[in-house]
Amino acid sequence: MLATTLTLLATALLGGAGVSARNEQIPLLSGYTGNDGTKVPVRLHVMSRCPDARRCEAVFEEVVKTEGIDKKIDLTLGMLGKLNPEAEYGVECMHGDLECAGDAHQLCLVENLPLAQWYAVLTCMNFEHFPGAIGQLAFTRKCVEASGVDWWASGVGRCIQGRHPEHSAVANKDDPQEAVATINSKDEAWAYDPPNEGLGRRARRLLRDSVNQTISDGIKKSCTIRITSTLNTRYRDCVVDGGEWKGCNDGHEAVDFVKAINEEHENLARLNRIHIPAWWTLQ
Ligand SMILES: *[C@@H]1O[C@H](CO)[C@@H](O)[C@H](O)[C@H]1NC(C)=O
């Protein structure tokens, strides 16, 4: 009886300690959601209609397909822009409001879908005559559905469009949709400038917060790949600018990123094993 009580007490104390240690780690990971301190934060800082963004997203497609990598990385997107309360979506984007919409759509994907799924949708969006119709609602929806994701049931539709027109949270594949824009060349893609279609409240919020976070992280170039590190330096950054890779000390091929992620993940596991909250080492 006494032994049982002691065991319970010990479990409660240890359990409690574990929880509080974890809770203390999270605030230092500002903007890195869903990470309990066991995954390596990796963020691609991009603009949805930017060719350099497409380059680093293409390299990361290989990274994401690496066996077991989803258990090691907390991969997110960070958007670049300028905060401007007067702007259509509260943000000015280098390639216009259409890009802002595309950015917001992609942030809704990241928030609502598992890594392999949101990455598949992103790859679809980047596919042909880039930047294609990125930013058009019907185009994003087509890519979402082509990836086998239900627009409304997944939460993506709600995030991007706001409440379902019929106030139905369940799948309704018959709701009216615009046609996907036909884009036959890069020139057509760059000239494509449809009227604004609006964004749901969550999408606007994600866009504004993401741009703000990128500014406070001091990141100015799309694309900047940032791996938060507990080895060597605080960040491993790698930039693609005007088609050129810059500052990538660890290399810029998919295998190089996988290697860096594996090293960081092993170190995080080591820090967690000896109960050093990894993020304290960053201060
Ligand atoms: C941007 O972030 C700062 C804190 O870093 C905050 O004070 C400010 O309100 C944010 N701005 C917007 C528009 O969210």
Side-chain angles (χ1 to χ4, degrees):
M1 180 63 195
L2 182 59
T4 315
T5 312
L6 285 177
T7 311
L8 283 175
L9 187 60
T11 311
L13 285 173
L14 285 172
V19 168
S20 78
R22 237 176 260 141
N23 284 346
E24 282 165 45
Q25 292 172 38
I26 290 165
L28 294 172
L29 282 168
S30 63
Y32 296 90
T33 53
N35 192 330
D36 62 2
T38 61
K39 291 184 177 181
V40 182
V42 181
R43 181 166 289 168
L44 311 182
H45 298 85
V46 294
M47 305 187 282
S48 60
R49 291 180 66 85
C50 169
D52 287 324
R54 188 199 200 194
R55 276 190 192 92
C56 66
E57 287 165 354
V59 171
F60 259 74
E61 190 191 345
E62 295 307 307
V63 175
V64 167
K65 283 182 177 159
T66 307
E67 180 83 29
I69 205 82
D70 58 329
K71 293 181 187 67
K72 298 180 186 171
I73 46 172
D74 175 22
L75 184 65
T76 50
L77 299 179
M79 299 303 171
L80 283 101
K82 279 187 197 152
L83 294 173
N84 177 0
E86 308 290 309
E88 176 75 18
Y89 299 125
V91 169
E92 278 175 43
C93 298
M94 188 188 267
H95 308 90
D97 286 342
L98 187 62
E99 178 168 76
C100 287
D103 292 357
H105 294 180
Q106 294 179 354
L107 292 168
C108 284
L109 299 174
V110 176
E111 184 172 71
N112 288 283
L113 303 176
L115 175 60
Q117 271 184 352
W118 72 253
Y119 220 90
V121 182
L122 180 69
T123 303
C124 168
M125 291 173 81
N126 283 345
F127 185 55
E128 215 176 11
H129 304 307
F130 185 87
I134 290 178
Q136 189 205 17
L137 179 62
F139 178 59
T140 300
R141 182 161 176 167
K142 190 190 90 174
C143 280
V144 165
E145 289 175 348
S147 308
V149 175
D150 188 286
W151 183 250
W152 293 109
S154 63
V156 172
R158 169 93 187 240
C159 177
I160 291 176
Q161 288 185 274
R163 207 175 261 287
H164 186 279
E166 282 88 45
H167 287 245
S168 155
V170 292
N172 176 3
K173 294 197 172 60
D174 301 326
D175 52 331
Q177 291 171 48
E178 295 283 314
V180 176
T182 311
I183 309 269
N184 297 306
S185 67
K186 270 196 183 304
D187 288 346
E188 278 183 37
W190 286 112
Y192 179 57
D193 189 19
N196 287 323
E197 295 175 291
L199 284 172
R201 192 197 293 245
R202 184 69 190 157
R204 285 168 164 273
R205 175 73 191 267
L206 290 176
L207 175 62
R208 203 190 55 212
D209 288 354
S210 180
V211 165
N212 202 11
Q213 184 67 46
T214 301
I215 294 167
S216 70
D217 288 341
I219 288 175
K220 300 193 170 67
K221 293 266 185 235
S222 164
C223 169
T224 302
I225 299 165
R226 171 166 282 186
I227 301 176
T228 300
S229 174
T230 55
L231 294 161
N232 322 323
T233 54
R234 176 165 182 171
Y235 300 120
R236 300 181 185 219
D237 284 351
C238 175
V239 175
V240 192
D241 185 14
E244 273 182 54
W245 294 87
K246 294 176 182 168
C248 311
N249 296 334
D250 307 308
H252 62 256
E253 309 277 338
V255 288
D256 302 320
F257 293 115
V258 170
K259 181 164 173 283
I261 289 161
N262 279 329
E263 287 168 12
E264 294 293 343
H265 183 258
E266 265 169 40
N267 197 50
L268 271 188
R270 187 183 64 84
L271 293 171
N272 281 322
R273 255 194 321 274
I274 58 179
H275 300 289
I276 293 176
W279 311 110
W280 291 5
T281 66
L282 299 176
Q283 289 181 317

